[in-house]
C-alpha cells in the first residue's frame, strides 16, 4: 500500500472567522484514506500550519502509510526545522501522523485504541471546559460571580463532576483583562475579583465537584503565585498553565503551592517534556496530540510521564477529530486522569466539521468503536474549505 495523494484543507466558518481548523486527508492506492488535524485552529498561526502541512505532505507521497515510525522520523530528522521544532512544525507532523493511524485502523479493521494496546477503561471521566465562555451553543462571556455560578451549575446538572474556568480572562464590564492587569504583583482589586468568582463557583457546585483553575499563561510567576495561594482554600483540583511553559518557573510554582500544576498544550515532543519530568515540576501533563507530534509521539510522551508518576489529560480544543484522537490515547494509558470536553464541542459550527457528533453522557465519554479514529471530515466541511492537493 502506498500514499498517492494528500488533501490539505483550511476549514472555516461564517459564525467565527478566527476559527480555522487545519486538516488533511491522506489517500492510498488501495482506496483507504485517513484524516488528521494540525491543532492550531484558533488565534494566530493556523496559516503557518496550513503551509507547513503542504510542505511535509510532499515528503510522504509514495511511502507505505503503515510505516508510521519510519515516516515520523523522516519528517522530524530530515526537515531541518523538525528537530526541537515548535507548534507549526509539530502540528503538521501531527496531522500526517494522525491520518496514518486512521488508515492503519481501517486497514486492520479495528479502532485505533486496539493498535495502541487495548483500552483500560470503557468510560472516561471528563470535565466541562472553559466555562467562562458560557456552556451551550453560543459563546456568552461570564463577567459577574453570578455568571460563573450559573455556568457551573448548568454543567453539573448535566452530570459533570468537574468544571474548568479561566477566572481572570474577561473583565467586569466589557472586553478582557490585559497584561497591565495580570503581570507582576497584583493589587487587591484584581485578587478580589478573581476570588469572588472562584467562591461563587465553589458555593454553587458544593464540595464534591472538582474545580480546575485555568490561566492560559497570561500571568507570571508573581501574579500566579498570589492567585494560587488565594485559591488553595477552595480545594482546586489543579492549576493549569499558571505561567509561560518553562521548566524552572514551573518548578518554582510547584514548590510554592499546595495545588497540583498542569501544563502541556504548548510543549512539543518528548525532548521538551523530559525537562518537566526530570525536575518533577508538573503533576498532570496536557499534551495536544494534534501539535505535540501526533499519536506516535503522544504515546511516547504519556509513557514517559508514567515513569515519573505524572498524570495525563489530553488537550482537545479543535475540531471533533482532535477530540476522538485524545479519547483513543487516553483510554489505553495507565496514567489517565480526566478528559477535556471543551465548550467549542457544543457549537453547531464545530460539530458540522465531522460526520459523527460524539458527546459525553453524565460526564463520561465512550471511545468510538469504528475502525480507525471512528470519525471523519464531513462532505460539507471539505466542500467549504480552502484546499490544496499534493500528488
Amino acid at each position: 500500500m502506498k500514499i498517492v495523494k494528500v488533501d490539505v484543507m483550511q476549514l472555516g466558518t461564517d459564525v467565527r472567522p478566527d476559527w480555522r481548523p487545519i486538516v488533511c486527508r491522506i489517500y492510498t492506492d488501495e482506496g483507504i484514506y485517513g484524516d488528521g488535524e494540525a491543532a492550531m485552529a484558533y488565534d494566530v498561526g493556523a496559516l503557518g500550519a496550513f503551509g507547513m502541512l503542504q510542505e511535509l505532505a510532499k515528503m510522504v507521497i509514495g511511502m507505505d502509510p503503515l510505516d508510521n515510525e519510519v515516516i515520523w522520523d523522516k519528517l522530524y530528522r530530515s526537515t531541518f526545522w523538525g528537530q526541537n521544532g515548535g507548534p507549526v512544525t509539530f502540528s503538521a507532523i501531527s496531522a500526517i501522523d494522525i491520518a496514518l493511524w486512521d488508515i492503519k485502523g481501517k486497514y486492520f479493521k479495528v479502532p485505533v485504541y486496539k493498535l495502541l494496546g487495548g483500552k483500560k477503561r470503557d468510560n472516561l471521566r471528563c470535565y466541562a471546559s472553559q466555562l467562562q465562555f458560557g456552556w451551550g451553543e453560543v459563546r456568552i462571556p461570564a463577567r459577574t460571580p453570578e455568571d460563573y455560578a450559573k455556568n457551573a451549575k448548568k454543567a453539573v446538572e448535566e452530570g459533570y463532576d468537574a468544571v474548568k474556568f479561566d477566572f481572570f480572562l474577561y473583565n467586569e464590564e466589557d472586553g478582557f483583562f490585559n497584561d497591565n492587569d495580570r503581570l507582576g504583583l497584583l493589587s487587591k482589586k484584581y485578587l478580589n475579583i478573581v476570588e469572588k468568582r472562584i467562591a461563587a463557583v465553589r458555593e454553587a457546585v458544593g464540595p464534591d465537584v472538582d474545580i480546575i483553575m485555568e490561566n492560559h499563561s497570561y500571568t507570571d510567576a508573581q501574579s500566579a503565585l498570589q492567585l494560587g495561594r488565594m485559591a488553595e482554600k477552595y480545594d482546586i483540583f489543579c492549576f493549569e498553565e499558571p505561567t509561560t511553559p518553562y521548566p524552572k518557573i514551573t518548578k518554582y510554582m510547584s514548590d510554592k503551592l499546595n495545588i497540583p500544576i498542569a501544563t502541556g498544550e504548548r510543549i512539543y515532543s518528548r525532548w521538551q517534556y523530559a525537562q518537566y519530568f526530570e525536575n518533577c515540576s508538573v503533576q498532570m501533563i496536557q499534551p495536544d496530540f494534534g501539535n505535540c507530534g501526533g499519536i506516535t509521539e503522544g504515546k511516547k510522551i504519556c509513557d514517559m510521564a508514567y515513569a515519573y508518576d505524572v498524570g495525563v489529560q489530553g488537550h482537545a480544543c479543535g475540531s471533533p477529530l482532535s477530540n476522538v484522537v485524545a479519547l483513543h490515547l487516553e483510554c489505553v494509558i495507565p496514567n489517565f486522569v480526566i478528559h477535556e470536553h471543551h465548550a467549542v464541542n457544543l457549537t453547531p459550527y464545530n460539530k458540522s466539521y465531522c460526520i459523527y457528533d460524539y458527546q459525553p453522557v453524565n460526564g463520561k465519554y465512550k471511545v468510538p468503536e469504528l475502525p480507525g479514529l471512528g470519525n471523519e471530515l464531513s462532505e460539507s466541511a471539505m466542500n467549504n474549505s480552502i484546499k490544496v492537493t499534493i500528488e
Side-chain angles (χ1 to χ4, degrees), residues 101 105 110-122 295 299 324-325 327-332 366-373:
W101 280 93
V110 294
V112 164
Y113 73 76
K114 280 288 188 185
L115 301 174
L116 295 171
K119 62 181 175 182
K120 292 180 174 292
R121 52 194 66 83
D122 289 318
I295 294 173
K299 180 64 162 59
V324 294
V325 169
L327 291 172
H328 279 286
L329 259 167
E330 290 169 337
C331 79
V332 304
K366 292 284 189 182
V367 185
E369 296 290 346
L370 296 171
L373 293 176

Side-chain angles (χ1 to χ4, degrees), residues 49-306:
F50 186 52
M52 181 62 78
L53 189 45
Q54 294 172 51
E55 292 287 310
L56 297 190
K58 299 171 187 175
M59 300 177 63
V60 303
I61 300 297
M63 297 188 73
D64 186 337
L66 301 182
D67 293 343
N68 59 288
E69 290 280 359
V70 174
I71 291 174
W72 199 97
D73 281 348
K74 179 179 182 180
L75 298 179
Y76 178 71
R77 298 196 63 85
S78 66
T79 53
F80 190 81
W81 298 113
Q83 293 192 54
N84 208 35
V88 171
T89 300
F90 271 97
S91 64
I93 293 175
S94 299
I96 291 172
D97 182 77
I98 290 166
L100 296 179
W101 280 93
D102 193 23
I103 290 170
K104 183 177 286 195
K106 292 172 180 175
Y107 180 81
F108 289 109
K109 298 181 174 57
V110 294
V112 164
Y113 73 76
K114 280 288 188 185
L115 301 174
L116 295 171
K119 62 181 175 182
K120 292 180 174 292
R121 52 194 66 83
D122 289 318
N123 296 290
L124 280 75
R125 183 192 184 199
C126 59
Y127 66 86
S129 179
Q130 307 295 352
L131 295 185
Q132 74 280 355
F133 296 139
W135 189 247
E137 293 187 352
V138 181
R139 289 162 66 100
I140 303 173
R143 299 192 185 279
T144 68
E146 291 75 22
D147 292 338
Y148 286 81
K150 180 183 68 176
N151 293 348
K153 277 184 178 179
K154 186 176 181 182
V156 171
E157 287 168 359
E158 293 175 10
Y160 295 90
D161 62 1
V163 295
K164 181 168 83 177
F165 290 86
D166 186 328
F167 294 100
F168 206 6
L169 183 67
Y170 292 113
N171 65 33
E172 294 179 296
E173 304 299 329
D174 181 54
F176 302 85
F177 290 108
N178 58 40
D179 283 351
N180 290 331
D181 304 323
R182 292 182 292 213
L183 297 179
L185 293 172
L186 300 175
S187 69
K188 290 293 184 184
K189 170 187 173 182
Y190 296 122
L191 285 170
N192 288 338
I193 290 171
V194 173
E195 181 164 11
K196 286 177 182 177
R197 292 171 173 179
I198 297 173
V201 170
R202 175 52 74 201
E203 183 177 356
V205 302
D208 297 328
V209 173
D210 286 316
I211 299 173
I212 298 172
M213 184 165 72
E214 158 81 280
N215 266 39
H216 286 110
S217 299
Y218 288 137
T219 46
D220 62 14
Q222 304 309 313
S223 54
L225 187 59
Q226 287 178 286
L227 291 171
R229 285 176 170 168
M230 172 272 291
E232 285 178 347
K233 58 180 169 288
Y234 296 102
D235 190 21
I236 299 299
F237 185 71
C238 64
F239 194 179
E240 179 176 337
E241 283 200 315
T243 64
T244 294
Y246 178 62
K248 289 185 178 179
I249 297 178
T250 305
K251 174 66 171 172
Y252 172 79
M253 297 300 301
S254 179
D255 288 346
K256 297 288 185 181
L257 292 175
N258 293 316
I259 302 175
I261 301 299
T263 192
E265 69 195 66
R266 286 179 275 193
I267 304 173
Y268 317 104
S269 83
R270 75 200 91 153
W271 292 278
Q272 293 186 23
Y273 269 98
Q275 303 169 73
Y276 295 87
F277 300 149
E278 289 166 0
N279 73 0
C280 300
S281 62
V282 62
Q283 287 71 57
M284 184 173 77
I285 59 167
Q286 300 168 305
D288 191 315
F289 304 116
N291 69 31
C292 75
I295 294 173
T296 299
E297 186 71 358
K299 180 64 162 59
K300 293 180 172 69
I301 291 167
C302 293
D303 290 343
M304 286 177 65
Y306 186 49

Side-chain angles (χ1 to χ4, degrees), residues 367-387:
V367 185
E369 296 290 346
L370 296 171
L373 293 176
N375 212 347
E376 62 181 61
L377 297 167
S378 66
E379 255 188 75
S380 62
M382 293 189 293
N383 290 339
N384 294 311
S385 69
I386 299 172
K387 181 169 72 175

Side-chain angles (χ1 to χ4, degrees), residues 11-26:
L11 306 182
T13 171
D14 295 331
V15 178
R16 186 181 166 192
D18 66 327
W19 189 255
R20 301 173 293 179
I22 306 301
V23 297
C24 70
R25 173 165 286 182
I26 297 179

